[in-house]
Amino acid sequence: MKLSQLEPGQSGIIKEFTDLEMSVKLMEMGCLPGESIVVERYAPFGDPIAITVSGYQLSLRKKEASTIILQKP
Amino acid sequence: MKVALVGNPNTGKSTLFNVLTGLRQKIGNFPGVTVDKKVGFFRLPDGRNVQLLDLPGTYSLYPKSKDETIVFEVLADKKHPVHPDLVIIIADASNLKRNLLLYTQLADLKIPVIIALNMMDMARKGGIDIDVNELSKRLGVQVVPISARQEENIDKLKEAISNASSVALQIDTIEVEALAPELISQIKHELGIANSYAALQIAHQHQNIHFLTARQSQRISELLDQSLFYSQKLQAEETIARYSFINDVLFDAVTIRKEEVIKESISNRIDEVLTHRIWGFTIFFGILFLIFQAIFAWSEFPMTLIENFFVWAAGISRTWLPSGVLADLLIDGVLAGLGGVLIFIPQIAILFAFISILEDTGYMARVTFMMDRIMKKVGLSGKSVVPMIGSLACAVPSIMSTRNIESWKDRIITIMVTPLVSCSARLPVYTLLISLVVPDTKVWGLINMQGLAMMGMYLIGFVSAILVAWIMKQVIRSRERGYFIMELPVYRIPRWSNVALTMYEKVKTFVFEAGKVIIAVSIVLWVLATYGPPGRQAAAQQQYLSQDYVQKYSAEEIQSLQSSAKLENSYAGILGKLIEPSIKPLGFDWKIGIALITSFAAREVFVGTMATIYSVNGDDQQSVRQKMSRARNDTTGQPVFTVAVAWSLMLFYAFAMQCMSTVAIVYRETKSWKWPVIQIVYMTGMAYLAGLIVYQILK
């Protein structure tokens, strides 16, 4: 399941990334495999999204969120 | 002693910088990038003086924008003029894990380093307890808990700076050599450097680093090819290794009390309102309206004061200085130019007060979050909204405010289109021309035609700005990959001394950096409008002294006829006549040509120039309008200001880059003449084309 498929309020644990370049940026920002992510809200026009990860809030576009694969619950 | 301040964005870095240095700050340039070099000074308890360099906030030494490369360059290049003896890294205690990533990278560069642990109180409230001694022991560096906002423990931090050793004592974080053993030793050998991590960073970044010669960079490329270097894969490996080190350290140094996450949920609750699809936009447009009102209305009074002061100063100087060329140069050239610079201070100060509050509170990040989807479509950033609205008042402070747009491409596009939005200087031009050709009548009993025309002009400005942005998005090539990963900082009360310092700093930067160009150009414009080929002006003025004129006109009328003749025979007048053939297709004669040239000082000068040319006493709009409507073409006898000419002229003013202050500030913000020149060319081109089309259709 991709991060971009979660609804606000849902959470998941990062498993892996589908895009290496993006993964480098995301990991620097604390999105590491094994970290849990909560989707807080979507922007009014549906994109970008706001998530909580590593104890802070981060916003990213759905395009970026779709490169994050979550563990199966 | 040279110290550099480094840290993630939103950690209170600039607050700490301001607390340490106060007003003893200096802004200069780093060559090659558009970041300002901010340096401050303070004294240590032991009497030594510290030169503190504020480096741009960054999450990692791997730059996300061109400007962030400066952090690595300054820290890695020992020959760099501001290479520090010591680095203070400021870390947000409530978000320590992510903040320590940058620390581990710095630590491996083997520069002496101190950690300033900010926002301990927030961490505690968020249920995070940090064992400072343990952290310090595990990392092998001094860790000083501080509160930059409350100015707590600043003396302890200063003490730590004086106690800092001149050699790096920190414990190694990861095994850097293990990432690429052979390559690292080859680069170290090739460049004669000792530090393995610097060598690895150079391997990743060599194409963008200024301290490497072209040959060195070429050589490194070859080495990378030989060793099948895969930059991203290696970066990913490195980051994972670093976080595993950090997790180890934090496991021992940090305890998390699960029960409370209060602070964050407050921020969350605020966000539910401020980024709500209805309330969020209502509030946002309310704030935009307030900003617009403020720059437009609140600045009027101080601007009038400044204006009056210069009128008064000019008057005083006239009486004191012996009249002659020197007095004219000083008063009409230099003093007027200085007035033209200082007049912007109120608008710049007000806009930056707002922007600094929006940034400080964390609201700006939400604006970006809400507007990203729409603005992305036209090649702008969510952060472009505030500059675009601000430029309804004035493009100059707005362009300065694009600094906070991280993406280079978004920022350049915003700078390039901002002057298309109709600013307040165009208002007098529009008012004059609309009153000249649009009847003051109502359609359907309620809509005023003149008001409608004015609104149309503002709309044209906005629409063209968006269209041009969209075109530039397709044209401008950028190596940056477009992505959007942005921290949403916790909401905070703004720190008023930060706001005041930002205002002061921006005003100072404008006055000293853009001011130079503005004064130089205004002197040139003054010379053009005042002097002409020897003898010509005198001869032209002489004719009005003949008996015929003296009998027919009053002394005042003769004086204005003379100044009109003087302008006609000045270099500006001659230039106006020179360009007449090229502006004729737009319906403009040489008199309008003169106004186009003098308007480069500021658009509203159009009205004054019209007044002089049509020999009006003073520049009272009413009488200027009457004279203009009575103006006849010398050869055909037809009215000069027909509907076609007026609209062509208005569109010309809507699009043309007739503002030297904007040119100066674009130069200062992009640090090259390339962008201001492109801007002048494309805007003048658009203006010409629009004028041409409208005139040819309407005439």
Side-chain angles (χ1 to χ4, degrees), chain B residues 371-491:
Chain B
M371 300 301 289
D372 178 69
R373 179 79 188 267
I374 315 173
M375 301 304 275
K376 182 178 73 175
K377 289 214 167 104
V378 291
L380 296 169
S381 142
K383 288 191 181 172
S384 312
V385 183
V386 174
M388 299 271 283
I389 297 299
S391 57
L392 278 170
C394 180
V396 171
S398 305
I399 287 172
M400 290 174 77
S401 76
T402 58
R403 262 306 149 91
N404 57 20
I405 301 175
E406 291 86 5
S407 150
W408 172 83
K409 187 175 166 180
D410 291 357
R411 181 162 171 239
I412 285 288
I413 295 179
T414 310
I415 290 176
M416 295 304 273
V417 303
T418 292
L420 285 172
V421 176
S422 281
C423 65
S424 56
R426 285 166 173 113
L427 202 56
V429 181
Y430 292 164
T431 318
L432 179 65
L433 292 170
I434 286 176
S435 67
L436 208 57
V437 294
V438 180
D440 190 9
T441 50
K442 292 193 166 120
V443 261
W444 304 316
L446 39 98
I447 305 166
N448 179 287
M449 286 292 282
Q450 292 190 340
L452 204 63
M454 184 66 86
M455 201 180 89
M457 292 313 297
Y458 272 86
L459 267 179
I460 286 171
F462 256 116
V463 171
S464 61
I466 287 168
L467 274 177
V468 172
W470 184 83
I471 292 167
M472 286 192 168
K473 181 192 164 193
Q474 324 294 323
V475 173
I476 296 179
R477 291 267 156 259
S478 152
R479 289 235 308 271
E480 296 172 52
R481 180 171 162 187
Y483 65 88
F484 176 91
I485 302 173
M486 181 190 66
E487 182 178 356
L488 291 171
V490 174
Y491 284 108

Side-chain angles (χ1 to χ4, degrees), chain A residues 28 35 45 57 59 61, chain B residues 60 97 268 372-373 486:
Chain A
E28 279 183 348
E35 285 285 342
F45 294 109
Q57 274 201 21
S59 71
R61 290 188 187 141
Chain B
S60 156
K97 189 151 118 189
N268 250 336
D372 178 69
R373 179 79 188 267
M486 181 190 66

Side-chain angles (χ1 to χ4, degrees), chain B residues 347-653:
Chain B
Q347 291 183 331
I348 291 175
I350 292 174
L351 182 62
F352 277 98
F354 277 104
I355 287 185
S356 147
I357 293 169
L358 296 186
E359 287 274 357
D360 249 28
T361 49
Y363 183 69
M364 197 65 106
R366 273 70 183 188
V367 171
T368 315
F369 178 67
M370 284 195 294
M371 300 301 289
D372 178 69
R373 179 79 188 267
I374 315 173
M375 301 304 275
K376 182 178 73 175
K377 289 214 167 104
V378 291
L380 296 169
S381 142
K383 288 191 181 172
S384 312
V385 183
V386 174
M388 299 271 283
I389 297 299
S391 57
L392 278 170
C394 180
V396 171
S398 305
I399 287 172
M400 290 174 77
S401 76
T402 58
R403 262 306 149 91
N404 57 20
I405 301 175
E406 291 86 5
S407 150
W408 172 83
K409 187 175 166 180
D410 291 357
R411 181 162 171 239
I412 285 288
I413 295 179
T414 310
I415 290 176
M416 295 304 273
V417 303
T418 292
L420 285 172
V421 176
S422 281
C423 65
S424 56
R426 285 166 173 113
L427 202 56
V429 181
Y430 292 164
T431 318
L432 179 65
L433 292 170
I434 286 176
S435 67
L436 208 57
V437 294
V438 180
D440 190 9
T441 50
K442 292 193 166 120
V443 261
W444 304 316
L446 39 98
I447 305 166
N448 179 287
M449 286 292 282
Q450 292 190 340
L452 204 63
M454 184 66 86
M455 201 180 89
M457 292 313 297
Y458 272 86
L459 267 179
I460 286 171
F462 256 116
V463 171
S464 61
I466 287 168
L467 274 177
V468 172
W470 184 83
I471 292 167
M472 286 192 168
K473 181 192 164 193
Q474 324 294 323
V475 173
I476 296 179
R477 291 267 156 259
S478 152
R479 289 235 308 271
E480 296 172 52
R481 180 171 162 187
Y483 65 88
F484 176 91
I485 302 173
M486 181 190 66
E487 182 178 356
L488 291 171
V490 174
Y491 284 108
R492 287 197 194 100
I493 309 277
R495 202 169 163 273
W496 300 110
S497 57
N498 270 358
V499 175
L501 262 168
T502 309
M503 289 163 73
Y504 167 74
E505 181 188 283
K506 292 293 167 181
V507 166
K508 198 171 132 191
T509 312
F510 172 78
V511 170
F512 288 101
E513 299 212 21
K516 284 184 283 197
V517 181
I518 297 174
I519 290 182
V521 176
S522 63
I523 290 175
V524 170
L525 284 174
W526 168 77
V527 168
L528 285 180
T530 314
Y531 293 96
R536 247 176 97 161
Q537 283 179 315
Q541 284 178 310
Q542 201 60 40
Q543 62 168 335
Y544 292 109
L545 293 181
S546 71
Q547 214 50 37
D548 291 355
Y549 282 100
V550 176
Q551 278 163 5
K552 248 164 67 189
Y553 299 98
S554 71
E556 266 186 356
E557 281 171 322
I558 287 189
Q559 217 171 22
S560 31
L561 283 170
Q562 277 184 330
S563 47
S564 163
K566 206 177 153 212
L567 181 57
E568 183 182 339
N569 288 287
S570 69
Y571 289 113
I574 291 163
L575 222 57
K577 285 183 178 155
L578 199 70
I579 63 169
E580 192 176 25
S582 65
I583 55 175
K584 213 164 191 160
L586 280 68
F588 305 163
D589 61 3
W590 61 268
K591 291 180 178 175
I592 298 175
I594 297 177
L596 296 186
I597 293 163
T598 55
S599 285
F600 194 63
R603 293 177 176 96
E604 70 265 25
V605 169
F606 174 82
V607 181
T609 305
M610 282 290 127
T612 312
I613 284 188
Y614 288 110
S615 352
V616 181
N617 280 315
D619 54 2
D620 158 46
Q621 283 233 4
Q622 205 61 18
S623 40
V624 177
R625 205 185 74 204
Q626 281 167 8
K627 285 269 185 171
M628 281 169 72
S629 65
R630 269 187 260 130
R632 291 286 180 274
N633 188 302
D634 296 340
T635 43
T636 61
Q638 296 299 310
V640 177
F641 290 95
T642 58
V643 172
V645 171
W647 279 103
S648 153
L649 200 50
M650 271 196 275
L651 282 171
F652 192 89
Y653 270 83

